[in-house]
Amino acid sequence: MRVLLTGAAGFIGARIWARLAQAGHEVVAVDAMLGAAHRDGAQPPPQCRLLDIRDAAAVGEALTGVDVVCHQAAVVGAGVNAADAPAYGSHNDYGTTVLLAAMFAAGISRLVLASSMVVYGQGGYDCPVHGPVEPLPRTREDLDSGVFEHRCPVGGEPLRWRLVGEDAPLRPRSLYAASKTAQEHYAVAFNDSVGGSVVALRYHNVYGPGMPRDTPYSGVAAIFRSQLQSGQAPKVYEDGGQMRDFVHVDDVAAANVAAIEADLGGFTAVNVCSGRPVSILDVATRLSEARDAPAPVVTGQYRHGDVRHIVADPARAAELLGFRAQVDPRAGLGEFAFAPLRD
């Protein structure tokens, strides 16, 4: 198939590009080379066209002969403050609407969209007394006293995390989350209008070689990695017990190829995860041990809006896409401790 791949020069996009080529697909690679993802002045690699998806004419030209679009281009990260909102709205949301309109004009109805776990907001929680519940927001009094778990809205009991499936309600809690949720909503409306196939891949915590270095928009694995490389012990917030699912970038690339080749009908959201939950302290410890570096420092500090736990259910990806992550986070994080990062 001929695949238009947006964000093709990025951390995830470059791996998808390589995987698609290996699978025998023809890739039309485009990237805007935004400063948030690439060093200032960076040029796209060979065979990758410099293209801003907000440019309708350029997107229309790039879609010539394309069978399916794999849309990875986005401004990523939670956002530093409200001043970042226009960048997310412009690149992620407006850019996606331009792409969808160009697809409609070109008669293309198949899309694989890079979404994110952040659309869920909080993860899933069970009360030992009252069963599945929607957690109360964590109070500053609890956080200041070192009580980091959510409480039950009925009896106030500490809650336990559980896996989040794709049918969970969408409750974005950051600028990035709001933009990814909007992308999904536009994609649903597009699919309802034209038919075809849209697969929204909700990535969990992606890591691996080529990940951007420590920036205000970096994930926690890159932040720990940069701290270790500069001779510091990783600094872990709260008590380190926050549960996440870390999925290797090569597995994310494989999930995209599977979604492109599956040709599902309608709109389908799919978690892309390892299926092997780990705590943030475990991540920091694994990286420290691999580098024979100082043990992580658990600071007890917190950010009031942080999500305590969010862990994905991998069942739908296995059932519909035949996708199962191959890289165990314990091994993958050990390799990541020495992996080259992107400047």
Side-chain angles (χ1 to χ4, degrees):
M1 283 184 285
R2 184 175 172 89
V3 182
L4 175 65
L5 175 62
T6 71
F11 166 49
I12 296 173
R15 292 303 180 104
I16 297 171
W17 184 0
R19 196 76 173 235
L20 284 169
Q22 290 168 3
H25 299 290
E26 180 184 359
V27 180
V28 179
V30 301
D31 200 297
M33 304 302 290
L34 298 179
H38 306 274
R39 69 181 184 277
D40 288 340
Q43 295 299 306
Q47 286 76 55
C48 181
R49 188 183 313 178
L50 185 65
L51 184 149
D52 188 325
I53 61 167
R54 298 171 299 179
D55 183 338
V59 172
E61 181 183 351
L63 285 169
T64 303
V66 163
D67 301 298
V68 56
V69 174
C70 185
H71 183 30
Q72 306 295 314
V75 175
V76 301
V80 175
N81 55 47
D84 286 334
Y88 287 98
S90 177
H91 290 283
N92 297 3
D93 301 337
Y94 177 67
T96 298
T97 65
V98 171
L99 175 63
L100 293 175
M103 289 174 61
F104 173 74
I108 300 166
S109 60
R110 294 195 55 216
L111 172 69
V112 174
L113 171 68
S115 188
S116 171
M117 67 176 189
V118 298
V119 300
Y120 297 123
Q122 297 289 353
Y125 294 89
D126 289 324
C127 174
V129 176
H130 303 100
V133 295
E134 187 65 27
L136 289 173
R138 299 188 293 175
T139 67
R140 290 195 181 275
E141 291 76 17
D142 275 351
L143 294 169
D144 287 339
S145 62
V147 177
F148 298 114
E149 299 297 343
H150 284 281
R151 294 185 181 275
C152 176
V154 181
E157 298 87 354
L159 301 181
R160 298 186 296 236
W161 63 268
R162 58 181 165 83
L163 299 180
V164 177
E166 292 86 350
D167 294 330
L170 306 188
R171 295 189 172 118
R173 293 165 53 90
S174 69
L175 296 175
Y176 176 59
S179 73
K180 300 310 283 186
T181 304
Q183 282 185 315
E184 286 203 19
H185 288 163
Y186 280 117
V188 170
F190 172 78
N191 186 256
D192 286 347
S193 173
V194 306
S197 168
V198 174
V199 181
L201 298 177
R202 293 174 179 166
Y203 302 159
H204 284 251
N205 295 77
V206 186
Y207 71 97
M211 194 174 187
R213 290 186 185 277
D214 182 13
T215 77
Y217 306 94
S218 292
V220 69
I223 292 171
F224 289 159
R225 173 75 165 69
S226 294
Q227 289 171 339
L228 286 164
Q229 192 163 338
S230 64
Q232 305 174 53
K235 295 178 177 59
V236 177
Y237 279 24
E238 301 186 12
D239 59 358
Q242 307 95 305
M243 296 299 295
R244 298 289 190 272
D245 190 303
F246 282 77
V247 58
H248 195 277
V249 65
D250 287 341
D251 282 324
V252 173
N256 274 270
V257 175
I260 287 167
E261 295 177 344
D263 194 14
L264 301 175
F267 176 89
T268 308
V270 179
N271 286 326
V272 177
C273 58
S274 72
R276 303 173 180 92
V278 294
S279 73
I280 295 298
L281 180 57
D282 286 341
V283 172
T285 300
R286 184 73 188 94
L287 293 171
S288 291
E289 289 176 348
R291 293 183 67 96
D292 195 22
V297 175
V298 178
T299 67
Q301 294 176 292
Y302 64 86
R303 289 179 291 249
H304 192 257
D306 278 1
V307 172
R308 176 61 177 174
H309 307 296
I310 182 162
V311 180
D313 187 342
R316 183 179 291 183
E319 177 186 355
L320 298 184
L321 302 181
F323 168 76
R324 295 173 179 81
Q326 300 300 304
V327 181
D328 188 311
R330 290 172 295 182
L333 288 166
E335 295 174 359
F336 180 65
F338 296 96
L341 299 182
R342 180 176 302 211
D343 290 323

